Structures are given as structure tokens and as C-alpha cells.
Amino acid sequence: MARTGEVRRRAGYDLTLWPACVRGYPLREQIAAASAAGYSCIAVNSATYVAALSEGLSGAEIAEIVKDHGLRVSWVDAVTGWLPVRYPPRAPELRDFLDHDLDIAFEMAETLGATSLLAVGSFDHATIPMQELVDRFGSLCDRAARRGLRVGLEFIPFWGIATLRTALDIVAAAGASNGGFVLDSWHFYRGDPDLALIGEIPAGKLYAVQLADAALRIRGVNLLDDCLQYRCAPGQGALPLDDFMASVTRLGASDFGPEIFSSALDTLPAQQAAELCADATRALLKKHHIAA
């Protein structure tokens, strides 16, 4: 762990621990695991933050814990409150994770020092018109800009913003200078994996890359189950991640991190899970000549 108060500075890139990798652990343990495994940043979602508050920590205390572990909070993860539907009606088990007011996300960013919000749309296909998505994303970016924040839009193949094409259209139509993209390798390959579309992301607009591997065929009962239970670390599956990395590195991305929802990973201690994910991610980045 870094010395108390000594925040790690990135060299070639930020290595971000996304909370999926340690989802079974409280925020304090996620922070400690990220520090021990050598990450420079962590992302924090509203559910984990609210749980930490309910356990007696204040936002200021959480920020101090992060600082004491030599980390920065780079992202507020899984922001859904910009839309009228905050969790998918057909997956009520996700309500506690996703159903959080937008004010909480901005409170987290201010208190924890996050620089970016990750916007997702967890609604059923075709239930929110395209123009409303554009307008609401633009409004979210405007509110974020007044606080010096960026907004990365993430498409998710089994919900309403299902493809990179749709995300590209929303961000372009909104026209916000602080609006861009978070690109998840699992979402890309389980959706419409057109590598040419990655090249359409404007320079400087790929704010973060989330990395996960998987089997070529869907596992589990459906795509959501495959997403939340059967991902694996880069190099442990069969997705053509080399092709994906060749495309994203051309865009000059500098924030990479594992996003691995996995029932197998859930069985490991937090530090071991964080280390396994970090080692696999670093190996992939090194293979593609992305210097630490």
C-alpha cells in the first residue's frame, strides 16, 4: 500500500479497478484490495457508496480512506438517474444496484473527487424515444460540465442503448464537449462487434476502456446471466481481444481496467480477485505496447 496520503500518479495510463471485480465486498475492502494490487484509481457505484454510509462512514471519511490508500476515485459507476427508468422492470433483482437518484451521483463526485460519471441506460429496448435519450444525455452533460465533470456513455447489448452505433448517435446529437464513451469489451463482442465503429469515436472521446473476456458462446440462461456470472479475466476466454485492443489503442485511450462480473471470481478474497484481474489486464496492455 502507498504511504498514507501518497496518491499514485499514473505513468502511461490509469489502471482502474471497476467494482464488478470485488462486488461482494464492502467499499472499505474494495479500496484496500485496489491499493494492494497496485491500481491507481477505483470506480465507485451508488449502491456501494450508500451501503458504506449506512454502515456509519461519512462521505468525507470514505474520501480520506481512498487518499490514505494512495488511490483516486476516477469514476462514479452505473449512473442511471438521468433517465425516467432507472432499472429494468424484468430484472427487479437489480433494483438495489441501479435505482439511485442522480443527486447521489453528483454528491459522490463532489465528495470523493471523481472526475467522470459513467452513464448507462437500464431500460427495455424501444421504450424511450431516441430524441429523449439525446435530450436527457445533453442535460446530464450540461449539469456535469458546471461541476467540471465528464460523462462517459456506455452501451449494454441487452438494454435500450444496445450498440456502439446507438451510443455514437446519442453523443453526436447531444454535442456536449464533455460527453464521450466508456467501451466495455464484453458488451462490444456480445452486441454488434463491428470494429470499424470503434474508429468512429472522435479523438479524445474514449474516456475509459473496460476489459473482460468470455467464452465464444453465451453461457447461463440468457445474455444478462452471461454478463453477470460468466465473464473472465483477459486471456482466460476466447474473445478476440487483440483485435479490440488494436482498435482502441489507435484512439489514444489512457484509462484501462478490468470489469469482470463472475461467480467464480466472487469466491476469492478481495485482494486476490483484484490482483488476478490486474495481472491479466497488465499482461494484455503490455502485449499491445501500452507502457505502465
Side-chain angles (χ1 to χ4, degrees):
M1 188 175 76
R3 295 195 307 273
T4 300
E6 180 187 349
V7 178
R8 293 191 182 99
R9 303 298 176 188
R10 69 178 174 94
Y13 60 87
D14 275 326
L15 184 64
T16 299
L17 178 63
W18 292 89
C21 304
V22 286
R23 61 181 172 178
Y25 294 93
L27 183 53
R28 188 191 292 268
E29 292 186 46
Q30 293 184 13
I31 294 166
S35 180
Y39 292 84
S40 55
C41 300
I42 60 169
V44 180
N45 60 50
S46 296
T48 307
Y49 178 79
V50 169
L53 297 182
S54 70
E55 291 163 2
L57 289 172
S58 69
E61 287 170 332
I62 296 169
E64 192 64 25
I65 293 168
V66 172
K67 181 180 177 182
D68 286 348
H69 282 79
L71 298 168
R72 290 173 287 124
V73 176
S74 51
W75 287 88
V76 176
D77 187 24
V79 176
T80 63
W82 61 290
L83 292 171
V85 179
R86 300 198 298 224
Y87 71 96
R90 290 182 292 180
E93 69 276 12
L94 296 179
R95 181 170 187 173
D96 288 346
F97 174 57
L98 293 170
D99 189 16
H100 296 280
D101 190 84
L102 188 57
D103 289 344
I104 294 174
F106 282 103
E107 172 193 319
M108 291 171 62
E110 180 177 357
T111 303
L112 303 180
T115 57
S116 305
L117 309 179
L118 189 157
V120 298
S122 51
F123 58 95
D124 288 339
H125 293 281
T127 57
I128 300 178
M130 184 65 172
Q131 189 57 54
E132 183 175 355
L133 293 174
V134 171
D135 293 344
R136 286 180 175 272
F137 184 74
S139 295
L140 173 62
C141 290
D142 288 345
R143 182 174 175 183
R146 292 193 293 271
R147 294 159 175 82
L149 302 171
R150 304 180 307 175
V151 182
L153 182 62
E154 180 178 17
F155 70 91
I156 299 175
F158 41 82
W159 287 334
I161 303 172
T163 65
L164 178 54
R165 174 75 276 157
T166 302
L168 284 163
D169 292 345
I170 291 170
V171 173
S177 62
N178 62 328
F181 304 88
V182 173
L183 188 56
D184 180 312
S185 61
W186 188 97
H187 292 159
F188 179 76
Y189 279 114
R190 288 298 196 248
D192 179 19
D194 183 352
L195 291 167
L197 286 179
I198 296 178
E200 292 188 26
I201 297 175
K205 290 291 190 175
L206 181 55
Y207 294 157
V209 177
Q210 298 173 330
L211 293 167
D213 212 332
L216 284 179
R217 293 181 178 274
I218 294 171
R219 300 178 63 191
V221 297
N222 54 31
L223 199 56
L224 176 61
D225 191 38
D226 186 40
C227 174
L228 295 181
Q229 305 301 334
Y230 294 105
R231 296 190 188 204
C232 56
Q236 294 183 351
L239 298 182
L241 292 182
D242 287 338
D243 296 338
F244 177 83
M245 288 298 300
S247 295
V248 300
T249 53
R250 295 189 190 104
L251 297 174
S254 60
D255 185 336
F256 297 88
E259 168 89 326
I260 302 167
F261 295 93
S262 164
S263 56
L265 199 63
D266 292 344
T267 66
L268 300 179
Q271 182 176 331
Q272 185 178 349
E275 288 173 344
L276 184 155
C277 295
D279 290 346
T281 300
R282 289 191 188 101
L284 181 63
L285 297 179
K286 183 178 180 180
K287 181 179 182 182
H288 288 270
H289 309 291
I290 300 173

